[in-house]
Amino acid sequence: MNTNQTNRDCFSCKFGVFAAAVGSAVGLGNIWRFPYLAGENGGGAFLIIYIAFVFILGLPVMLSEFVIGRRGQGNVFRSFKQLAPKKPWYLVGLMGITASLIILAFYSTIAGWAFEYAMISVKNIFSPSAGVVDHAQVFEQFHTATVVPLVWMTVFILITAFVVLFGVQKGIEKYAKILLPLLFVFLVIFSIRGLTLPGSVEGLKFLFYPDFSKINGGVMLSALGQAAFSLSIGMGTMITFGSYIKKDDNLPRSAFSISIADTFVAALAGMAIFPAVFAFGMEPTQGPGLVYVVLPAIFEQMTGGAYFAFGFFVVLIIAALTSSVSLLEVPVAYFREEFRMTRRTATLLGTAISGALAIFTTLSFGPLKHVKLFEKTIFDNSDFFASNILLPLGAFFVVLFLGWFYDIKQTKDEITNQGTLTVRLFPVFVFIIRFVAPLAILLVFLKGVGLI
Ligand code: TRP
């Protein structure tokens, strides 16, 4: 075994790496963000473009990140320095660290909402016996308030910090393995309930029947941002993880399975949500509150709905936690290795920065609703800046680096585990990271921000 690896945290077993990476990928991105963006951006056409981006661009970027991390054996910043000494590539790492602190902030806002919903489901208001409840009203009242959303955001980010304090192996793996299958089961049950509601077919049409007239530069950029967000790429999560992966693990296979699993969960979340949206005559375009308004309406139609609601929101919190932990791990690894901080100090610092920002993203739904820049709230700006600007740029530089600047023989060596694995698609991978991905990302990006 490689000696550098012994003093770094290392995932214990193969399933551990996989579970932790899937745990990072699967989270609010699939269940909260994907449905609300698909709803806003026209449904079917968005889904198709998003899936195309995941497999043509996302998967190769993820594999590239694994290569950089496992080769560089360090945090994002150090891995780049290791592979390209005295070159400014480490700036890509710094960009990633910035992105992770911003994403963690608004992620905590949304995950905090799930706590409130777990609590109110205990009060039984999502069950048939509770009588008529206006879920849009319940949501509106809660998420525009000041104290309660702040409290739940704080609870969430502190739990994230707590898990990160215990280190990679013990902290992350344990949760990921058990809970993801459960999330899956819940989504299947809700899809079935949603699909058996009268009028649900419209929702399926919306999700699967593409209307390409809805596509424009902004929609394409959202789909690209969502592909990156959902796969946890473009900012170094997968680079940091790559540095923990064992030298004999199969990188292409891991990247492929993670992408499949992640996309499947997003599609399933769509199936749980859109049929119900149409059956209940709701608006698919209502924005970030979509899941929090639609799912309770489904629970209400189910025997034992309150139990399902409680179970679901608890599992959602944990899925969010396995992602937020991977977000915090990026700056923590950086602070530790570059500034010689203890894991504890590094965790405190990362949590403090994100937490401070999260106060603003949380309040931007209520008291700070009218504080706007480019006609967007603080929340929308943070999400847009991190997901649609920093992540695509990060992904762009990752492929540019491996495709054009790093020795391709070294990349091949890393991907094939020093020639012990046969990777038949390697030439395809090279073609994508050299030509397809950089060009496609750049075009979508420039078009999306209106520069071309
Ligand atoms: N992918 C996670 C989700 O879908 C969120 C996440 C975790 C993430 N790590 C990331 C997003 C790194 C972008 C980059 O919920």
Side-chain angles (χ1 to χ4, degrees):
M1 178 95 308
N2 183 330
T3 45
N4 317 326
Q5 254 189 344
T6 44
N7 48 11
R8 290 182 59 73
D9 298 299
C10 188
F11 286 111
S12 54
C13 58
K14 293 197 181 183
F15 188 63
V17 182
F18 184 69
V22 175
S24 165
V26 175
L28 297 174
N30 311 60
I31 289 156
W32 155 74
R33 203 170 185 276
F34 168 73
Y36 111 69
L37 286 180
E40 277 184 343
N41 291 306
F46 181 85
L47 177 73
I48 290 192
I49 295 180
Y50 158 72
I51 292 181
F53 282 167
V54 164
F55 289 98
I56 300 171
L57 307 175
L59 203 165
V61 173
M62 186 186 293
L63 181 55
S64 304
E65 293 199 10
F66 283 161
V67 168
I68 295 173
R70 197 168 70 171
R71 201 82 181 164
Q73 283 298 306
N75 64 70
V76 234
F77 176 86
R78 174 157 301 200
S79 289
F80 273 110
K81 280 215 146 166
Q82 208 80 25
L83 300 192
K86 305 209 180 76
K87 297 266 166 57
W89 287 99
Y90 61 87
L91 291 174
V92 182
L94 293 183
M95 197 168 83
I97 291 159
T98 313
S100 59
L101 290 167
I102 299 175
I103 295 178
L104 179 59
F106 71 79
Y107 210 79
S108 303
T109 298
I110 308 293
W113 295 353
F115 278 93
E116 176 72 6
Y117 270 71
M119 292 302 278
I120 52 185
S121 42
V122 179
K123 296 188 204 142
N124 215 22
I125 71 163
F126 301 141
S127 69
S129 54
V132 185
V133 175
D134 182 345
H135 296 291
Q137 183 65 30
V138 170
F139 178 70
E140 185 60 24
Q141 246 179 24
F142 152 68
H143 90 299
T144 55
T146 305
V147 179
V148 184
L150 276 183
V151 168
W152 290 132
M153 174 281 284
T154 311
V155 169
F156 180 79
I157 206 167
L158 288 181
I159 300 178
T160 303
F162 185 80
V163 177
V164 170
L165 263 185
F166 284 96
V168 171
Q169 195 165 325
K170 276 184 283 170
I172 308 178
E173 283 176 28
K174 215 166 50 190
Y175 301 98
K177 281 183 218 173
I178 322 160
L179 287 143
L180 291 173
L182 206 56
L183 185 67
F184 203 74
V185 173
F186 273 120
L187 289 175
V188 171
I189 297 174
F190 301 158
S191 307
I192 295 174
R193 181 64 265 221
L195 283 169
T196 49
L197 292 168
S200 63
V201 182
E202 278 309 304
L204 280 186
K205 264 197 212 146
F206 179 80
L207 185 61
F208 292 112
Y209 183 79
D211 171 1
F212 286 107
S213 67
K214 302 232 170 89
I215 298 301
N216 57 37
V219 173
M220 301 269 285
L221 182 60
S222 290
L224 180 64
Q226 175 58 18
F229 189 96
S230 197
L231 294 173
S232 303
I233 56 173
M235 50 139 286
T237 288
M238 293 302 178
I239 292 180
T240 305
F241 272 18
S243 75
Y244 303 138
I245 298 179
K246 283 189 172 179
K247 286 285 179 196
D248 60 351
D249 268 357
N250 187 330
L251 296 183
R253 188 189 293 156
S254 302
F256 185 71
S257 330
I258 295 164
S259 306
I260 294 270
D262 186 67
T263 309
F264 203 64
V265 177
L268 210 54
M271 302 248 302
I273 297 206
F274 289 109
V277 167
F278 285 84
F280 296 127
M282 295 172 169
E283 283 302 320
T285 51
Q286 57 187 274
L290 184 68
V291 251
Y292 286 93
V293 175
V294 177
L295 288 181
I298 301 190
F299 302 146
E300 206 172 59
Q301 303 286 321
M302 297 170 74
T303 327
Y307 297 101
F308 278 108
F310 181 72
F312 172 75
F313 286 116
V314 170
V315 173
L316 183 63
I317 290 167
I318 298 185
L321 208 64
T322 56
S323 303
S324 62
V325 160
S326 78
L327 282 163
L328 184 55
E329 181 66 28
V330 173
V332 166
Y334 168 69
F335 294 146
R336 277 175 71 200
E337 291 176 7
E338 304 310 320
F339 301 98
R340 307 196 162 273
M341 288 183 190
T342 58
R343 178 168 270 275
R344 199 181 171 137
T345 317
T347 307
L348 280 179
L349 182 61
T351 311
I353 299 172
S354 270
L357 194 59
I359 296 177
F360 294 95
T361 54
T362 305
L363 293 181
S364 76
F365 287 96
L368 299 181
K369 192 160 41 187
H370 301 294
V371 181
K372 290 192 175 173
L373 188 65
F374 312 119
E375 292 167 35
K376 284 187 164 99
T377 61
I378 301 172
F379 178 92
D380 290 337
N381 271 309
S382 314
D383 188 355
F384 187 87
F385 180 62
S387 316
N388 291 6
I389 295 188
L390 294 181
L391 296 186
L393 284 183
F396 173 76
F397 286 118
V398 161
V399 284
L400 204 67
F401 176 69
L402 271 201
W404 295 98
F405 292 89
Y406 192 57
D407 180 7
I408 208 79
K409 287 197 211 79
Q410 304 266 349
T411 301
K412 184 165 189 182
D413 189 59
E414 194 62 45
I415 288 185
T416 58
N417 297 350
Q418 290 74 49
T420 55
L421 271 181
T422 325
V423 180
R424 256 178 283 132
L425 290 179
F426 187 73
V428 179
F429 171 74
V430 174
F431 182 68
I432 291 182
I433 60 168
R434 283 216 165 136
F435 303 104
V436 182
L439 277 177
I441 296 173
L442 203 63
L443 277 179
V444 172
F445 178 76
L446 292 177
K447 186 106 189 123
V449 295
L451 288 177
I452 51 172

